Amino acid sequence: MTTTIIAVDVHDVRFPTSLTGDGSDAINRGDYSATYVELRTDDPSGAVGAGFTFTNGQGNEITCAAVRAFAPTLVGRTLEDFIAEPVAFSRSLTAHPQLRWLGPEKGVIHMATGAIINAVWDLRAKLAGVPLWRLLAEMPTDELVACVDFNHITDAITPADAAAILDKGRVGYEERLAGLESDGFPSYTTSVGWLGYPDDKVRALTRQAYAEGWRAMKMKVGGPLADDIRRAEIIRSEIGPDALLMMDANQVWDVDVAIAAMKELAAFNPYWIEEPTHADDVLGHARIAEAVRGFTNGTCHVATGEAGANKVIFKQLLQANAIGIMQIDSCRVAGVNEVLAEILMAAKFGVPICPHAGGVGLCEYVQHLAIFDYLRVGTSLDGRMVEYVDHLHEHFVDPVRTREGRYLLPEQPGYSATMKPSSIAEYSFPDGPVWAR
Amino acid sequence: MTTTIIAVDVHDVRFPTSLTGDGSDAINRGDYSATYVELRTDDPSGAVGAGFTFTNGQGNEITCAAVRAFAPTLVGRTLEDFIAEPVAFSRSLTAHPQLRWLGPEKGVIHMATGAIINAVWDLRAKLAGVPLWRLLAEMPTDELVACVDFNHITDAITPADAAAILDKGRVGYEERLAGLESDGFPSYTTSVGWLGYPDDKVRALTRQAYAEGWRAMKMKVGGPLADDIRRAEIIRSEIGPDALLMMDANQVWDVDVAIAAMKELAAFNPYWIEEPTHADDVLGHARIAEAVRGFTNGTCHVATGEAGANKVIFKQLLQANAIGIMQIDSCRVAGVNEVLAEILMAAKFGVPICPHAGGVGLCEYVQHLAIFDYLRVGTSLDGRMVEYVDHLHEHFVDPVRTREGRYLLPEQPGYSATMKPSSIAEYSFPDGPVWAR
């Protein structure tokens, strides 16, 4: 019995979030969108693998075109091929002899690969009848190691290193799982401090979030420094000295500007500064991290990853001691397999993971990755929390569920990526009713 | 009098080069292609700005889609806007509030930006009635500096640094220009050693190139090491001990594999090892460079750049002392303006530039950049040469001209990017006669 991919359907789904200022930061003002992929199969149950990559609105048609470019590589292949030779499968996309030029392994072409590979994992987990986090967390070590393409990262981690980490991660597994089942996974909220919100809205949202139980909140910075300071004062005054306040500059600063700004913003005791400069600037992040550690006595970390192009960038951020928090993203890199490489490297270097979420569907995706990381790799909740943004969950068949600032364990089979057919129809661009109006 | 962009036309032009093994290397087997852009204007002469980005065949429709995504940003804008505020113009593309997410500043979206911005420069040079190299080389310093977006690179070069370099570059300008007019610009050939060629073809092509006057040749490596060694023996035996032999691994090696391979290949006295590992791996290149300098007494350099995503990657390669040769590319980054940033950083760090060419149209483009660099920035031919590949020049209105292994100065107005209408028609994908057959 094999399950064969018989068609690759792509939907350009866009939500008009730019109208409200949700998601506005120093550099992005987006319409949260998904390049939504359905892998249709010959499985008698009609099983469909669902995956997507997140984009910011305009250009979502470009990632859709990239998915279509890979379709001939996918149709006719089986899930069993993927399971037997996961690296060969993912390299047939990431090292495609013609399409690789368009990256290599970055940007549009890599994001499309991420949507596709995530859809294959969704299919696999659905057919196995388990949520993705459980499929991964309970997989034999050698099978997990075989999922990782170590090409270009062997100077940081070897298959033997990975196996040792994953074997060690079996110890205490049941206790950790029981803890998650009763208490959920820690998270923080980014819904309070978008740049597009006026001060009174920031204050009201912060107060509300605190009342709801959130003790970690993130604000956007990178506007005029006086504005950043004023907004930081508002939030810190609302949450008191003990709750965590994170700051996110969305890459807008130059290296020396970042250092100067953080010297001022350090007064508000930030827990991390996220994306202080360009996402590709490993050496810049290293300089900023060293400076910030210096003037905060190590209490403020540099965090980045939502725009981290691939495992080679993450490898260097770790090698250069440039990050104290690694923010993996679920669909900018080439899907679950590449994220596994990143999670394992973070463990090797002792850096905790706090995944990037928000957008549309990113919370649904990354909860699985964070739970797997804790259960089988990182094994500690110290410094681990998942971003939470309260947008657009209603469009998913198996949306995230939270309680008092914690994610509850996903229970349905798959990767929680399946969107409601009614939402796909309503928000399809440009012909869905929302956009045709 | 203003010149307004009234339409952006995009052509998907592909040449079936994969049929012959031309352009085959350790990772690419391509159909050399161009995402070809025409900026139509209201100029009474009918002037059209022509630009393109190079791709490897499949997926060229994706970069075409990316150019179309920018079209609404371009139509109605004037050449005079671009001249007056070049950074604002280029940031309207590179920092687009929605499209930036698809990079940021890398891959498909950045390559599309490169095609567009190059087309604007082609238009500008055509209307000025001069070849691009002359337009740039004779531009006042402050105007040139104003073309550079220093965002994210001020930790490596400031506007004042750039101005000092460009002012100094005026000294001796006329002598250097006279030298180029009489002797042309040095180049090297990559046509002898593609991986897809059998040994006897490599030997015959090497012998022919040497007879034609070439004293610098590049071979592809990164296959089985024994094959690389055998091919290096063939070429070195044909060209003697004094001619330069360069090697190009096209990113196929891991860091430690690269070091081990170069220990063996050092026997053939390579002048550089190009793309020894993943293009994003700044720290990996730095380690390889240090090792190779060690066991070759500094005679072999690490070179990279054709897949360098943007100025932030080039900045770090220089800061980390990871390259001894910088290989700028004309259309992977955001066009002439971003290349100016790279050329100026290379000068600041004292690293010579040997541009990447080949593909389709890249020789036509990069000759202008190399000539500008020599005339106004680098001011020395020591270690400077432009790649030359003898493919597909016949499709251009103003093709490169060479004599005894040297590029002759382009004379026609513009950026030499204009393709013959008959070639566009013949090779358009998928409906042109070549592909419809």
Side-chain angles (χ1 to χ4, degrees), chain A residues 152 154 251 254 280-281 315, chain B residues 152 154 251 254 281 315:
Chain A
H152 293 130
T154 52
Q251 309 179 43
D254 279 25
D280 297 340
D281 198 347
K315 175 185 78 167
Chain B
H152 294 130
T154 52
Q251 308 178 43
D254 279 24
D281 198 348
K315 175 186 77 167

Side-chain angles (χ1 to χ4, degrees), chain A residues 27-31 54-59 61-63 66 69 96-109 111 150-155 251 253-256 277-278 280-283 287 306-307 309-310 312-313 315-316 319-320 332 356, chain B residues 27-31 54-59 61-63 66 69 96-109 111 150-155 251 253-256 277-278 280-283 287 306-307 309-310 312-313 315-316 319-320 332 356:
Chain A
I27 203 138
N28 306 294
R29 290 183 303 283
D31 289 320
F54 167 69
T55 80
N56 220 2
Q58 288 172 53
E61 75 282 6
I62 306 170
T63 33
H96 186 287
Q98 299 199 350
L99 292 167
R100 184 180 187 272
W101 185 265
L102 301 177
E105 293 166 73
K106 61 179 69 71
V108 166
I109 202 76
M111 294 162 77
F150 287 91
N151 202 13
H152 293 130
I153 58 171
T154 52
D155 54 324
Q251 309 179 43
W253 290 325
D254 279 25
V255 174
D256 294 298
T277 193
H278 196 286
D280 297 340
D281 198 347
V282 172
L283 300 178
R287 264 194 64 215
E306 73 180 59
N310 53 45
V312 174
I313 295 290
K315 175 185 78 167
Q316 294 175 87
Q319 289 173 321
R332 184 177 285 282
H356 169 240
Chain B
I27 203 138
N28 306 294
R29 291 182 303 283
D31 290 320
F54 167 70
T55 81
N56 220 2
Q58 288 172 53
E61 76 280 7
I62 307 171
T63 34
H96 186 287
Q98 299 199 351
L99 293 167
R100 183 179 187 273
W101 185 264
L102 301 177
E105 292 166 74
K106 61 178 71 67
V108 165
I109 202 76
M111 295 162 76
F150 288 90
N151 202 13
H152 294 130
I153 58 171
T154 52
D155 54 324
Q251 308 178 43
W253 290 324
D254 279 24
V255 174
D256 295 298
T277 193
H278 195 286
D280 298 339
D281 198 348
V282 172
L283 300 178
R287 265 195 64 213
E306 73 180 59
N310 53 45
V312 174
I313 295 291
K315 175 186 77 167
Q316 293 176 85
Q319 289 173 320
R332 185 176 285 282
H356 168 240

Side-chain angles (χ1 to χ4, degrees), chain A residues 326-383:
Chain A
M326 185 195 275
Q327 298 179 298
I328 55 170
D329 183 272
S330 50
C331 53
R332 184 177 285 282
V333 303
V336 172
N337 301 68
E338 187 161 353
V339 174
L340 285 177
E342 295 166 3
I343 288 174
L344 288 162
M345 287 194 289
K348 172 99 187 281
F349 285 82
V351 169
I353 286 170
C354 296
H356 169 240
V360 56
L362 299 180
C363 298
E364 277 69 19
Y365 262 155
V366 297
Q367 58 182 340
H368 291 270
L369 304 170
I371 292 165
F372 161 74
D373 169 44
Y374 166 58
L375 287 176
R376 185 69 184 275
V377 182
T379 71
S380 163
L381 286 179
D382 279 0

Side-chain angles (χ1 to χ4, degrees), chain A residues 207-376:
Chain A
R207 193 169 295 182
Q208 180 189 335
Y210 193 86
E212 287 170 1
W214 298 96
R215 291 296 175 270
M217 309 192 193
K218 191 162 81 185
M219 64 176 291
K220 298 292 179 174
V221 296
L225 187 56
D227 292 354
D228 293 342
I229 290 172
R230 194 183 66 253
R231 293 152 51 84
E233 276 173 345
I234 291 171
I235 298 175
R236 181 54 83 193
S237 73
E238 291 291 330
I239 66 177
D242 295 333
L244 296 179
L245 171 60
M246 287 84 81
M247 298 178 178
D248 182 357
N250 288 87
Q251 309 179 43
V252 80
W253 290 325
D254 279 25
V255 174
D256 294 298
V257 175
I259 293 170
M262 288 312 297
K263 270 188 189 147
E264 302 296 320
L265 291 166
F268 305 99
N269 193 22
Y271 177 59
W272 76 52
I273 174 62
E274 176 172 338
E275 291 202 310
T277 193
H278 196 286
D280 297 340
D281 198 347
V282 172
L283 300 178
H285 280 85
R287 264 194 64 215
I288 296 165
E290 188 180 9
V292 170
R293 278 194 299 268
F295 56 71
T296 67
N297 290 319
T299 59
C300 181
H301 304 282
V302 166
T304 195
E306 73 180 59
N310 53 45
K311 64 190 178 187
V312 174
I313 295 290
F314 283 98
K315 175 185 78 167
Q316 294 175 87
L317 288 167
L318 292 166
Q319 289 173 321
N321 196 19
I323 49 173
I325 307 279
M326 185 195 275
Q327 298 179 298
I328 55 170
D329 183 272
S330 50
C331 53
R332 184 177 285 282
V333 303
V336 172
N337 301 68
E338 187 161 353
V339 174
L340 285 177
E342 295 166 3
I343 288 174
L344 288 162
M345 287 194 289
K348 172 99 187 281
F349 285 82
V351 169
I353 286 170
C354 296
H356 169 240
V360 56
L362 299 180
C363 298
E364 277 69 19
Y365 262 155
V366 297
Q367 58 182 340
H368 291 270
L369 304 170
I371 292 165
F372 161 74
D373 169 44
Y374 166 58
L375 287 176
R376 185 69 184 275

Side-chain angles (χ1 to χ4, degrees), chain B residues 84-159:
Chain B
E85 295 197 81
V87 170
F89 190 100
S90 68
R91 275 199 202 168
S92 70
L93 306 177
T94 60
H96 186 287
Q98 299 199 351
L99 293 167
R100 183 179 187 273
W101 185 264
L102 301 177
E105 292 166 74
K106 61 178 71 67
V108 165
I109 202 76
H110 214 47
M111 295 162 76
T113 301
I116 293 163
I117 289 181
N118 283 344
V120 179
W121 279 99
D122 179 66
L123 177 67
R124 180 173 178 180
K126 279 176 178 162
L127 290 177
V130 292
L132 181 78
W133 64 263
R134 186 182 290 275
L135 177 71
L136 292 174
E138 300 184 356
M139 198 176 275
T141 289
D142 57 343
E143 275 187 54
L144 273 169
V145 172
C147 289
V148 176
D149 183 354
F150 288 90
N151 202 13
H152 294 130
I153 58 171
T154 52
D155 54 324
I157 190 167
T158 65

